[in-house]
Every structure is written in C-alpha cells, then in structure tokens.
Amino acid sequence: MMETHERSIAGHVDAERLWRRHMELAQYGATANGGVNRQALSDEEVAARRVLVGWGEAIGLVASNDGAGNLFLRLAGTEPDLAPVLIGSHIDSQPTGGKFDGAFGVLAALESVEAIVAAGVRPRRAIDVVAWMNEEGSRFAPGMMGSAAFTGARKLADILAVHDADGVGVATEIAKVLAAEPDLPRRPLGFPVAAFVEAHIEQGPILEVEGRTVGVVTGIQGKRTFRVTVTGEENHAGTSPRSVRRDALVSAVAMVQALQEAMWDEADVVRFTIGRFEVTPNAPSVVPARVVFSIDLRHPDADTLRDLGDRIPRICTDAAGCCAVDVRELLHDPPLTFPDAVRDRIRAAAADLGITWMDIPSGAGHDARYLHYHCPTGMIFIPCKNGLSHHEAESATKDDIAAGARVLAETAFGLANAE
C-alpha cells in the first residue's frame, strides 16, 4: 500500500480544472467541426506552448526548452543532483485531429504536479512535465522528432534538414518557436532521466469494450514507414495513345493493389496503410507524371515486420510497368516491451485508488518508444469513445481523464522518491 502522504496526492487532482484546460488548449487550432488542427511548430502550437508555460509558472514550475523544440516545466525536488522523472506527451495534432490525443498526456502531467504542490509535499527527484516536438509527423515526417533527438535515436542535424510539403524547414520553424520563448533557459539534449511515464488516450476500443478505466501499457508494436515515388511523363489526355503513355497514377494504383494483396493476413494482425497520395500535376486533362505515396506498416512480431517490409521495394518495382519507382524507408522501429518495474507501479497506483485497470498493448507509436531506450519507461491509457482518434470527433470523459491523472500523479511521485 502507498504511504498516507502519497495516497493524498490523487485527492488533489481537480477534474474540473483538468477538463477546463483541455477545452481551453483546444481553442488553439480549433476547427469548425470541433476538432484541432495544431500541427508541429505552427503558430497555433507556439500560442498553445505559451499557455502551458503560463499555467506551469503559476504553480511554481520553471519552464525551459531545448534545441529540438521540446518544452519542459520543472517541479524542483529536494535533491537537485538526482536525475529527474519526466511525465508528458505532445500537443501537436493531425490536420483533422481531436482535443485529447497527446494533449491529455501533457495536461494530466501538469495536473499531477499541481496535485503534488497542493498536497504540500515535495519529491526527492525533480519532476519535469514535457511536451515533445512533432510526435504526429503530419507536417514534418517522420514523427516523434523531439523525443528521437532527445534520446539520440536521430541526429538533430538530420531533423533540422526536413521540410514540409510547402518547402518550410524544421530548422526555420524551431528557430521561430525558440524566438517566441526568449526568456526560457536552453537545456542540453539528452540529459539523464530516472524514468518517463506517458499518459494517453487508448486510440482503440478495448478499454471501452472491457469496461476498464486504465490500461497499463505492456509495450508498442513495431512500425516501418516508406515513401514511394513513381515517375512517369506528362502528356495530353486527349491525344496521347495508351501505347506511348507513362502514366504514373496507373502504375501507382497497380502498386497499391499488389501491396494490399501481399500484406493481407487471415488473422488481421498486420496493419498496412497508405495514408498520403500526391499526384502531379493533378490536372484533369494531363497524364500524371509523378505520384508520391506513403506506406505505414505495423506488426507486433519483429520477424514478421522485417519480412513484410523487406518485400515492399520488389513489389513496387514489379508493378511499376513503364514508370520508374523509388522506395525509400523512413523509419524502422521494432516492437518493444516496457519494463515490469514501471508497469507494476502503475498497476499498484490504480489498484490502491480503486480504479479498474487491465494490461493492454499499444498499436500506435508514441514518444515513449524512444524514451524506452533511454530510461525506464511506461504508459497509462484511458478510454476514448468508440476507439476513435486522429478524428475531429475524438472524445474522452471528464471522469476517465481525471482517473488517468490520479494514477499518473501517484506513479510519478512514487518514481520520484524511489532509490
């Protein structure tokens, strides 16, 4: 059982305040259909960061950032030489995202440290609330850039060289973000961390179906992403016969069909998605000269993920016809399992608070993937309505959000006091 002073922390989580902050943060990038378009390093995210800093400073947290654009809010510990505990997630969104994906993890982390302050106790280790830069990868691909740079999984120079679809570079936008926060001290990338815990909506239906409030995340399935570029030749739609056409769209469609057939599995475990498809010149009377499409491949078994992914270049080449094709792999993250010690703490916190829980794997990628290789890491899931996410109708309940924050608060305080 938890110590009495620890158990009292969860009682200081304010469900109304936490919900109100979700609704207020959702105004930055709000869409007409009730969702959020707050893509990485956008003006909307700059404004949302400013609000977070204000909330944190109001309760005595010290704000800082790093060269990758990650944002930190620190609650000081009694032993400042100890490595801190990090809790948080991200506040960037998909173009048609919801109010809770990522934002819940950051706001639950902020609520956790505010509950600790309200309880009148201080942890041995500092606790940092963190908002990682570009988890989603919707504007700059691939995602999880901030956490990858922080942990050394990717070189910052490589990340800074990435551009969005409009040709705007990460380097330019990070400079803009940091210029908007001139008073914040700059931290080094990759400082020692005692532990990291990320709270998140499940983005799936299991908790809701099972009637559980908290998911203790066992690990994250593996993921490989690719960018496929098909090159043909522009021609007149009315005068060019089929025999001379090099139609990039026809070739791309053939590749998509061949890929779908190759990735189909009876057990429905493979997750294969083509989520982006760009046609050039995209004019009604012009034979398409170029198509670029994305591939997102996921599987919980490392060998299967490797074998399926390795087949993709050959499948595309065989279906290319008279067009040229270039297949470039952007990301290969193997499956992982979070350590028992962190999962046990999350389970114990939920049980002690009388909150129903279950073990659950994550089908989606999260910043916790990269932190897993840097420090002991865990995740807490809460339900989202109908399992819907990356959608403007994404929804979670006030009670579930508060329950997740209570479990996070107790878990974080326990980790911050651990030897």
Side-chain angles (χ1 to χ4, degrees):
M1 298 291 289
M2 297 180 181
E3 299 288 343
T4 302
H5 69 279
E6 290 186 44
R7 189 165 58 245
S8 68
I9 291 170
H12 287 87
V13 168
D14 187 327
E16 294 297 330
R17 176 175 60 205
L18 182 55
W19 182 262
R20 185 172 63 250
R21 284 176 175 165
H22 275 83
M23 297 304 106
E24 184 170 340
L25 201 68
Q27 296 307 303
Y28 298 91
T31 66
N33 293 324
V36 174
N37 180 8
R38 190 172 55 234
Q39 296 184 64
L41 306 177
S42 63
D43 292 342
E44 292 80 9
E45 191 183 27
V46 170
R49 286 165 66 103
R50 190 177 303 117
V51 171
L52 281 175
V53 170
W55 285 336
E57 290 180 342
I59 57 176
L61 307 185
V62 177
S64 61
N65 54 35
D66 65 20
N70 298 313
L71 177 65
F72 304 91
L73 300 167
R74 170 164 288 192
L75 173 66
T78 59
E79 301 181 41
D81 292 336
L82 297 179
V85 169
L86 268 59
I87 53 176
S89 189
H90 63 95
I91 61 168
D92 66 304
S93 80
Q94 292 289 331
T96 53
K99 298 181 178 73
F100 304 96
D101 177 5
F104 163 65
V106 175
L107 295 177
L110 182 65
E111 186 63 33
S112 294
V113 295
E114 186 150 10
I116 292 170
V117 171
V121 294
R122 287 184 65 194
R124 292 177 60 232
R125 300 175 182 275
I127 300 177
D128 285 342
V129 175
V130 58
W132 301 111
M133 185 274 288
N134 186 31
E135 191 272 350
E136 293 290 358
S138 57
R139 181 184 180 193
F140 300 106
M144 296 180 279
M145 283 184 172
S147 53
F150 180 87
T151 59
R154 295 184 65 194
K155 294 179 180 178
L156 180 58
D158 293 339
I159 289 171
L160 295 176
V162 174
H163 291 74
D164 66 11
D166 296 322
V168 180
V170 172
T172 300
E173 295 298 83
I174 285 183
K176 176 191 73 177
V177 170
L178 298 182
E181 300 168 350
D183 298 330
L184 301 192
R186 187 75 48 80
R187 284 177 140 181
L189 284 171
F191 54 81
V193 178
F196 173 63
V197 182
E198 181 172 7
H200 210 279
I201 58 171
E202 181 196 341
Q203 301 182 287
I206 297 174
L207 290 174
E208 186 177 54
V209 169
E210 296 294 331
R212 307 297 177 92
T213 302
V214 160
V216 181
V217 182
T218 55
I220 301 176
Q221 71 175 342
K223 177 180 179 180
R224 298 180 73 172
T225 63
F226 301 82
R227 181 171 60 235
V228 181
T229 303
V230 186
T231 304
E233 184 178 56
E234 289 183 28
N235 213 327
H236 194 291
T239 62
S240 58
R242 186 173 62 248
S243 59
V244 302
R245 290 191 181 197
R246 296 178 59 225
D247 190 323
L249 181 56
V250 169
S251 292
V253 170
M255 293 176 201
V256 172
Q257 180 64 33
L259 287 165
Q260 289 282 7
E261 293 175 359
M263 301 298 152
W264 189 89
D265 66 318
E266 185 71 33
D268 195 19
V269 177
V270 175
R271 297 290 178 263
F272 176 79
T273 303
I274 295 174
R276 176 176 288 177
F277 210 83
E278 301 171 356
V279 181
T280 304
N282 203 28
S285 297
V286 181
V287 175
R290 186 171 184 265
V291 171
V292 179
F293 64 90
S294 65
I295 294 174
D296 183 310
L297 174 66
R298 309 189 195 207
H299 201 278
D301 178 73
D303 291 339
T304 303
L305 180 70
R306 183 188 63 250
D307 293 344
L308 289 175
D310 288 351
R311 295 176 60 190
I312 286 174
R314 173 54 61 187
I315 292 169
C316 291
T317 299
D318 289 346
C322 58
C323 292
V325 60
D326 176 70
V327 180
R328 179 167 301 184
E329 183 164 21
L330 304 178
L331 181 76
H332 185 172
D333 287 330
L336 63 85
T337 300
F338 292 130
D340 289 333
V342 180
R343 285 187 282 157
D344 287 345
R345 281 190 176 274
I346 298 169
R347 292 185 189 106
D352 192 70
L353 292 168
I355 295 171
T356 58
W357 63 272
M358 64 179 289
D359 287 341
I360 185 172
S362 175
H366 300 281
D367 290 304
R369 166 176 289 284
Y370 288 128
L371 273 293
H372 169 75
Y373 300 106
H374 188 72
C375 64
T377 295
M379 291 193 71
I380 297 167
F381 276 173
I382 63 166
C384 53
K385 186 176 181 180
N386 298 324
L388 194 64
S389 186
H390 287 187
H391 193 289
E392 291 170 300
E394 176 184 274
S395 180
T397 71
K398 185 187 302 183
D399 288 345
D400 287 345
I401 287 170
R406 292 184 181 107
V407 173
L408 177 63
E410 299 289 3
T411 301
F413 191 77
L415 287 168
N417 283 323
E419 294 296 333

